[in-house]
Amino acid sequence: MTGLFVTLEGGDGAGKSTQADRLESWLRDQGRQVLRTREPGGSDLGHELREIVLHHTGHIDPRAEALLYAADRAHHVATVVRPALARGDVVVQDRYLDSSVAYQGAGRVLDAGEIRDLSLWAAEGLLPDLTVLLDLDENAARERVDGRGEADRLEAEAADFHGRVRRGFLDLARDEPDRFLVLDASQPVDDLAAAIRQRIQTLLHP
Ligand code: TYD
């Protein structure tokens, strides 16, 4: 049995963790082995990189930031994700390379194509079987994030940054319609979970 690689993407506050939780428990009920993981921070080394990239107090040069996420990705894919897929697990992952393209590209300094190439190099070409994009208006997302307490370095970016991130994700989804399932994240949690399950069913039992 070969595994299945599912990633959840979207802006901060779009509801990725909630949907990942739902999906994980449904898959387990189906008798599947599930690896639930995330980037940044899904490996031992990644924990340390996550601390730097989210909580470093000084400025981080955009290229350095892109490389930190890429380093996290390289180690995570090689030591956590690929072994799980080889075992036949379903990998349910919060954020992957599309986040790099949308976020690091949204600063307008770096070219989206270059960031994608860097991520693909880091991950030795591994692309998800399915990427669920939870799309939410940046103002609605901001209200959800503000309710959580202290913002990290990226959450604290201005609204226009998050607007560019959102458009970045939608551009990616438009370019690869077969890989992406785009959902309106303002819908009820149960409806979103059902839509995701339906798509996964078709991948598990083609
Ligand atoms: P996340 O773990 O979703 O944050 P939280 O646990 O606080 O909800 O992601 C951390 C931040 O990192 C998020 O703002 C998006 C950003 N990010 C990038 O900028 N590039 C990347 O490649 C990834 C994976 C995340």
Side-chain angles (χ1 to χ4, degrees):
M1 187 157 55
T2 57
L4 192 74
F5 186 24
V6 181
T7 58
L8 291 109
E9 296 281 8
D12 297 279
K16 295 180 296 300
S17 310
T18 305
Q19 290 304 326
D21 286 347
R22 291 293 197 98
L23 180 59
E24 179 185 1
S25 40
W26 176 75
L27 286 163
R28 289 193 192 282
D29 289 347
Q30 307 285 303
R32 297 293 305 223
Q33 296 292 323
V34 181
L35 173 80
R36 173 75 189 282
T37 187
R38 69 171 179 181
E39 290 182 9
S43 66
D44 49 356
L45 174 67
H47 274 121
E48 295 174 42
L49 291 169
R50 181 181 170 93
E51 253 326 283
I52 297 173
V53 84
L54 295 187
H55 301 296
H56 179 72
T57 45
H59 169 71
I60 300 183
D61 176 79
R63 283 172 193 271
E65 181 180 274
L67 287 165
L68 285 166
Y69 282 111
D72 170 69
R73 183 156 304 130
H75 192 70
H76 182 230
V77 166
T79 64
V80 179
V81 177
R82 282 195 193 271
L85 292 172
R87 287 194 301 269
D89 291 5
V90 180
V91 176
V92 176
Q93 181 168 322
D94 235 298
R95 297 194 182 280
Y96 188 50
L97 84 180
D98 301 298
S99 276
S100 279
V101 179
Y103 279 80
Q104 277 63 62
R108 287 217 190 92
V109 188
L110 302 175
D111 176 76
E114 284 180 3
I115 296 168
R116 185 183 155 86
D117 288 347
L118 175 69
S119 275
L120 283 172
W121 178 82
E124 291 188 276
L126 181 69
L127 280 172
D129 297 294
L130 174 68
T131 297
V132 178
L133 173 58
L134 294 169
D135 177 53
L136 188 63
D137 170 81
E138 57 273 22
N139 298 316
R142 163 67 52 182
E143 280 178 27
R144 292 190 188 178
V145 169
D146 285 349
R148 285 184 195 166
E150 211 177 315
D152 66 39
R153 224 171 45 79
L154 283 108
E155 285 167 353
E157 286 279 353
D160 66 326
F161 175 85
H162 291 286
R164 291 200 298 276
V165 169
R166 182 189 183 196
R167 285 189 293 280
F169 277 127
L170 289 170
D171 287 348
L172 286 164
R174 198 199 45 224
D175 290 348
E176 283 182 80
D178 292 343
R179 173 161 69 90
F180 276 88
L181 170 65
V182 183
L183 297 172
D184 171 358
S186 67
Q187 291 181 84
V189 168
D190 288 344
D191 295 2
L192 292 167
I196 295 170
R197 286 198 299 269
Q198 199 179 24
R199 175 62 79 90
I200 304 266
Q201 286 273 27
T202 66
L203 294 170
L204 290 175
H205 311 286

